[in-house]
Amino acid sequence: MGLIVREWRGRSAANGAAALLASVAAIALSAPSAHAQQATHPTDQSKEAEQQRAALAGATLLDKILVLSRTGETAIQSLASASHVDQEQLDRRMATTPNEMLLGVPGVAEQADARRVSTSINIRGLQDFGRVAVIVDGARQNFQRSDHGTQSTFYIDPELVKSVDVIRGPVANTYGSGAIGGVVFFDTKDAVDFLKPDETWAGSVTGRYESNGKGWTTSATGAYRINENWDVLGNIVYRDYDNYKDGDGDTVNGTGFDVLSGLLKTTVRPTENSELKLGWVGSSDDWDETSGGVPVNDVDLKSNTFTARYIITDEDKSWLDLHINTSYNKTNLDLTSLAPQNRFDPVTGLPVVLPAGSLSTFDVGTTGIDIWNTSRFETNGIAHELTYGGDWVGDNVKTGGAAGGDSFYTPSGKRNVSGAYVQDKLTWDWLEVIAGLRYDSYSLKDDTHDISGDRLSPRVTVGVSPFNSAGLAGLQFYGTYAEGYRSPSITETLISGNHPAGVSFPFLPNPNLRPETGKTTELGVNYKQNDIFEPGDALRLKAAYFNNDVDDYIDGVTLSPFAPGSGCPFGPGIPICFQYQNFAKAKINGFELEGVYDAAWGYAGLSASITDGHTVSYKGVEADLATIPSSQVTAQLGLRFLEDKLTVGGEVQYNGKPKGNAVAADYTLVNAFASYQATDDLKVDFRADNLFDVKYANPLNGSTTIAVYEPGITLKLAATMRFGG
């Protein structure tokens, strides 16, 4: 398919956005002013919120409880490469797109191909087709559309998110099938985090302007506490941005966008020890796609995610800590051609004209069920946290449209993946052992194919804390061996037809694809220490080296009809074929570091990741892996003034060119920020991204031969007004 650069020229009416925002504000303003009692029996996230607010001095970001942890761990306690991004960090980053929320998280990169609203996440050089499980409030995001560049994208507005958790590597296989790269969990806002203890209702309105692209963001939030055991929250966001300019001052076409998103969530606590969360996250967007700077398609996107999460525990959290998650995510993307386009018939490969008004549709529905329980007990002085459960995810892909339309290259079909697992975390004095086993199975079918497979994947982790002296008591070493299993996607297995534009050649299905098996060895260290230079300060540090061999790695290859056994027919057009095939393996290794020092005067952070990798054919031929991201080092410094009402600081990030990328280059970015809590009800934020106006390109974007340049200097100014009673 020809490379298409999308121009997000939204057509959502501003009047509609204003009406929706006004509705939320009206609900909040019309709420009763009587004060409600604080909930007396908070559970799960509400309890975690209370614990965080009550934390002693010396707590840092790495001390925050991971929302996706199934044993209630913080990042610094986890014997795995885990990171947490909290609300304060998200506010500081003033993220406009999902890409910006994960700034400086080691081992994590994002690909957008100038499509700023949609994102594909890369962890340790692995991405697309479910290698990284992207989860919003427990719902898998599995939307996929065949194209040059990124294949799998998700849609979530940063204004709706309160925290992000990341676990890198296949140790994350208790969180669902296929996540051989890792898991990214987006947790949306809750009423308990927004309402003050003595409030029945509250609302807030945020307005923000950005200089590059001359963009506006408007966000409104309203929350209401119905009684001590029932609350509700709503959030609506409208964004309107033009194309941005790169560091040379040149406009990058296809980067403007116009988005309307929303969130509704209610939490009910039926009993003292149980909690039910019901949520909806949605987006309705319109934009134009351009090719060569000319609009070619009108795009209508609707994305809706529905979730239900139920938690029940006993009072002392011994044998019962049960979680039941159900979800449904539906993404509908319609393309309507704006002008006649010269294409090739997907069946015959002969030239055809795609008339103006032709429609291509991409409808992807994903249903998920995830159930697990953690039992805590002791045997002979050894503490056990035994976690066991199962999950199922079903994808239903329906595509269609006119001959020559883009949807023919994202095949329709159904895929089901399911699994069950058991994991025991044993702790005895200075020794910690985690042993787990997961069973995965999958089935994939369309009208002519029915494919299935299964596998057992183990995990073993050993952690030791050998020192008791004051300076070394917080030092912990660990080693892990873990495996993960990813089944082929519908597209990788069933893609067929002829290349739609530019040149004609066939795509060949491959029903004989074998699933990928990730086998990772990881050596890591955790370190935590308080009261180092002054009372109440804290140092937290995580570092790890990993080696991941992905057996039967799947990637696209070009075939010649003259090669024996290629299966590529000779026909009109360029005499090649494209097919997804297995490689013997992909070999990826790297180093990651994340550290933070926090004191009364401010904080300092340092993170780094170095990733290298290549594929190996069954004949032993090595080749560069195009999804290897830049090596990164990110330093952060923040200073607090005026009794912590004012925070100012900055970030410096160095990005090193990956091997094998002809258009990539090293670059360094400098950002600055300031946040001022002027009153209890008014907050002002400022941020300057790319302060020195560097012209740079993310090597993952576009392709390895075409650079898509990122924004030059961007100034952001926002004000948030809050009210409640």
Side-chain angles (χ1 to χ4, degrees), residues 344-369:
F344 294 100
D345 187 280
V347 178
T348 66
L350 298 176
V352 296
V353 175
L354 190 68
S358 297
L359 181 67
S360 294
T361 61
F362 304 79
D363 297 339
V364 181
T366 301
T367 305
I369 300 173

Side-chain angles (χ1 to χ4, degrees), residues 601-660:
W601 54 264
Y603 66 90
L606 181 68
S607 64
S609 58
I610 301 171
T611 307
D612 190 17
H614 59 270
T615 60
V616 182
S617 73
Y618 289 103
K619 296 181 179 180
V621 178
E622 296 184 3
D624 294 318
L625 188 58
T627 54
I628 296 298
S630 297
S631 295
Q632 288 187 347
V633 179
T634 306
Q636 304 180 53
L637 178 67
L639 304 174
R640 303 184 180 107
F641 302 97
L642 304 177
E643 298 179 338
D644 296 344
K645 292 182 179 180
L646 173 64
T647 301
V648 297
E651 302 148 354
V652 179
Q653 184 182 80
Y654 168 77
N655 294 263
K657 170 184 175 178
K659 292 192 305 182

Side-chain angles (χ1 to χ4, degrees), residues 374-710:
T374 299
S375 298
R376 298 169 175 86
F377 55 92
E378 287 192 8
T379 59
N380 299 321
I382 299 175
H384 296 260
E385 289 182 278
L386 183 65
T387 303
Y388 42 95
D391 48 74
W392 170 83
V393 174
D395 292 327
N396 188 2
V397 180
K398 296 180 180 179
T399 60
D406 292 344
S407 58
F408 279 87
Y409 315 98
T410 303
S412 299
K414 295 182 178 181
R415 185 181 71 145
N416 294 293
V417 294
S418 59
Y421 59 88
V422 59
Q423 174 180 286
D424 194 9
K425 176 182 174 183
L426 304 92
T427 306
W428 176 79
D429 196 16
W430 51 268
L431 177 65
E432 189 172 323
V433 177
I434 302 173
L437 188 66
R438 178 180 175 90
Y439 170 77
D440 283 295
S441 68
Y442 79 96
S443 65
L444 184 155
K445 63 182 179 180
D446 65 358
D447 293 337
T448 58
H449 301 90
D450 193 345
I451 307 160
S452 62
D454 61 356
R455 190 180 190 276
L456 287 171
S457 300
R459 176 203 177 177
V460 178
T461 299
V462 178
V464 295
S465 304
F467 303 109
N468 293 319
S469 60
L472 298 176
L475 185 61
Q476 184 179 43
F477 301 95
Y478 71 87
T480 289
Y481 176 78
E483 295 184 2
Y485 179 77
R486 185 188 77 88
S487 64
S489 69
I490 293 172
T491 290
E492 290 169 309
T493 308
L494 303 178
I495 188 171
S496 63
N498 287 277
H499 193 273
V503 294
S504 178
F505 58 85
F507 296 109
L508 302 181
N510 189 354
N512 297 317
L513 275 178
R514 291 179 295 278
E516 295 175 343
T517 302
K519 299 178 179 179
T520 291
T521 302
E522 182 173 317
L523 301 175
V525 58
N526 297 333
Y527 181 67
K528 57 181 180 179
Q529 193 63 243
N530 295 337
D531 304 324
I532 301 171
F533 301 112
E534 60 184 54
D537 71 357
L539 174 66
R540 301 291 185 266
L541 176 71
K542 289 181 72 73
Y545 169 82
F546 69 90
N547 185 83
N548 188 6
D549 288 345
V550 183
D551 292 346
D552 295 318
Y553 181 76
I554 300 171
D555 203 358
V557 299
T558 56
L559 306 172
S560 168
F562 306 107
S566 69
C568 179
F570 183 83
I574 293 181
I576 61 170
C577 297
F578 179 92
Q579 186 180 50
Y580 285 100
Q581 292 190 354
N582 291 106
F583 286 71
K585 64 180 57 185
K587 296 182 69 68
I588 305 172
N589 60 76
F591 171 78
E592 297 162 352
L593 169 73
E594 184 174 18
V596 60
Y597 173 77
D598 197 287
W601 54 264
Y603 66 90
L606 181 68
S607 64
S609 58
I610 301 171
T611 307
D612 190 17
H614 59 270
T615 60
V616 182
S617 73
Y618 289 103
K619 296 181 179 180
V621 178
E622 296 184 3
D624 294 318
L625 188 58
T627 54
I628 296 298
S630 297
S631 295
Q632 288 187 347
V633 179
T634 306
Q636 304 180 53
L637 178 67
L639 304 174
R640 303 184 180 107
F641 302 97
L642 304 177
E643 298 179 338
D644 296 344
K645 292 182 179 180
L646 173 64
T647 301
V648 297
E651 302 148 354
V652 179
Q653 184 182 80
Y654 168 77
N655 294 263
K657 170 184 175 178
K659 292 192 305 182
N661 192 312
V663 299
D666 298 354
Y667 60 91
T668 300
L669 303 177
V670 178
N671 309 320
F673 58 84
S675 178
Y676 180 50
Q677 189 73 49
T679 70
D680 289 343
D681 299 320
L682 176 63
K683 182 184 178 186
V684 180
D685 292 285
F686 170 78
R687 185 174 177 89
D689 284 327
N690 195 2
L691 197 58
F692 295 109
D693 214 11
V694 175
K695 183 178 182 179
Y696 71 100
N698 179 348
L700 293 176
N701 284 352
S703 70
T704 58
T705 58
I706 300 175
V708 179
Y709 290 104
E710 300 295 324

Side-chain angles (χ1 to χ4, degrees), residues 137 159-161 188-190 233-236 261-265 279-282:
D137 285 345
E159 281 290 310
L160 309 180
V161 178
T188 60
K189 295 177 179 178
D190 286 282
L233 177 137
N235 193 191
I236 294 179
S261 300
L263 161 71
L264 287 173
K265 185 185 285 187
W280 164 80
V281 178

Side-chain angles (χ1 to χ4, degrees), residues 9-24:
R9 193 184 67 190
R11 299 186 297 108
S12 299
N15 290 340
L20 287 169
L21 294 173
S23 299
V24 171

Side-chain angles (χ1 to χ4, degrees), residues 151-152 170 186 241 257 281 335 337 349 409 433 453 664:
Q151 303 291 312
S152 303
F186 294 88
Y241 287 76
F257 59 91
V281 178
L335 297 179
S337 60
Y409 315 98
V433 177

